[in-house]
Amino acid sequence: LLNIVETYTEYTGRMAPLPEWTQQGSIVRLYGGTDVVEAAVDELEAADCPLAGVWIEDWCGLRTTPFGKRIWWNWVGDEALYPDWGGLIGSLKDRGVRVLAYFNPFLTDASEKENLTRNLFEEAEAEGYLVENPEGGTLLVENGGFYAGMIDLTNDATRSWIKDIMKGQISLGVSGWMADFGEALPYEAKLHSGVDSREYHNRYPYEWARLNREVIQEAGVEYDFLFFSRSGNAKSPGATRLFWIGDQLCS
C-alpha cells in the first residue's frame, strides 16, 4: 500500500506539512466587524479555548442579495466594517491569534458599494484581465443574486496583477485565506491564450491553487502560510496546502 501511495503521489504531487501554528488550536470563522471579532476572541480566551486563528471572510464587506448576506467580491478592505484592518491583524497576532481572509477568482462590479475606495472589476475589465464571452465582451457568471467576471489565468499580466493585490494582504500580516471557487469556468469562455475553455475547465482549479502557491512563495511566507482550496483536479495536491471539503459543485 505504501508503494501505491508513493507512486500515485508522484503523479498528483504531495501536500506539504501544514504550518505549525495551525496545530495550536481551533481556527474559528468570524464575521461582522472589528468589535464583533474582538468580543468573540475575548469570549473564546475567557473560556480557555485553544485558538490558533480566526477566519474573517467579510474583510472586504457584505452585500444584501435575494439569497441573503453575501461577501463583496472586490478584494479591497471594507473600511466601515474594519476601519483599521491592519491594526486588528497585528493586535490579534500579538495575542497569538492569526487572521485568515478570503479570496476567489471572481470580481463583481462594486460601483454601488458604500465606502468604495477601489473597483477591481472596472480595473480588470479595462485591462482585459477577465474571461471573455464568444462575442469578445466580459463573460458574466451568475452567482446567486449577482453577476461576476472571472479572472483569466491564461494571461500572465492578469496573474501578476491579482498577485500584487493578494500580496498586499500578506504585507498587512494575514496568515492565510480560503482560495474559494475555481470549478466554474464556462465552456463558452474565450481565453487570452486561445486555449479551448473545455480543455482548460479542469485545469483552471489547479492553476488557481498554483497561483496562490506562487503568491506565498514570492512573498517569502510559503511554510508559515495556510491557504485552503475548495476546487481541484488530479494534480492539485501538489499545489494547495489544504482542501475544504464542502460546497463543491457536482452537476
Side-chain angles (χ1 to χ4, degrees):
L1 183 59
L2 289 177
N3 289 336
I4 293 171
V5 171
E6 183 177 7
T7 303
Y8 175 68
T9 57
E10 283 177 3
Y11 173 78
T12 63
R14 299 186 177 115
M15 297 181 78
L18 295 173
E20 185 176 347
W21 62 265
T22 66
Q23 307 305 299
Q24 305 306 310
S26 300
I27 297 174
V28 178
R29 177 180 177 264
L30 297 174
Y31 58 94
T34 297
D35 292 344
V36 175
V37 168
E38 289 180 332
V41 171
D42 289 343
E43 185 177 355
L44 287 161
E45 288 184 341
D48 294 325
C49 175
L51 189 61
V54 290
W55 171 31
I56 304 174
E57 282 185 279
D58 66 348
W59 69 277
C60 47
L62 286 172
R63 65 190 303 183
T64 301
T65 76
F67 289 82
K69 296 285 187 181
R70 300 287 302 278
I71 301 164
W72 273 105
W73 293 357
N74 183 60
W75 315 121
V76 179
D78 187 284
E79 295 181 358
L81 276 176
Y82 301 97
D84 184 8
W85 175 237
L88 175 64
I89 295 167
S91 66
L92 290 177
K93 194 168 186 179
D94 288 343
R95 299 167 66 176
V97 180
R98 305 288 188 118
V99 170
L100 292 82
Y102 175 95
F103 282 99
N104 70 45
F106 285 103
L107 293 169
T108 189
D109 186 356
S111 56
E112 297 180 0
K113 183 181 184 295
E114 295 181 3
N115 306 302
L116 181 67
T117 57
R118 187 178 177 188
N119 190 337
L120 298 183
F121 176 89
E122 285 187 350
E123 292 182 27
E125 189 171 49
E127 296 294 336
Y129 294 159
L130 299 175
V131 169
E132 294 183 345
N133 59 36
E135 291 73 40
T138 299
L139 195 159
L140 295 175
V141 181
E142 201 278 329
N143 277 285
F146 60 89
Y147 288 85
M150 199 170 190
I151 58 173
D152 190 337
L153 297 181
T154 72
N155 184 342
D156 288 341
T158 304
R159 296 175 79 105
S160 296
W161 177 76
I162 196 67
K163 280 182 182 181
D164 285 344
I165 292 166
M166 298 167 94
K167 288 174 189 174
Q169 291 304 306
I170 295 175
S171 70
L172 289 175
V174 165
S175 295
W177 55 60
M178 182 181 192
D180 202 4
F181 284 90
E183 76 278 8
L185 180 69
Y187 281 0
E188 69 271 20
K190 180 181 176 182
L191 299 172
H192 174 83
S193 68
V195 66
D196 190 323
S197 58
R198 293 169 297 180
E199 174 188 336
Y200 202 76
H201 177 88
N202 281 10
R203 183 177 166 189
Y204 192 103
Y206 167 76
E207 291 295 336
W208 173 229
R210 190 167 74 89
L211 181 141
N212 280 266
R213 191 62 170 267
E214 290 172 355
V215 166
I216 63 175
Q217 289 171 338
E218 292 167 14
V221 296
E222 180 178 9
Y223 299 106
D224 193 49
F225 195 92
L226 177 67
F227 76 86
F228 51 104
S229 299
R230 168 175 144 186
S231 61
N233 73 4
K235 294 196 172 184
S236 291
T240 194
R241 299 302 310 273
L242 186 67
F243 285 104
W244 167 268
I245 310 299
D247 298 329
Q248 279 78 4
L249 179 64
C250 298
S251 62

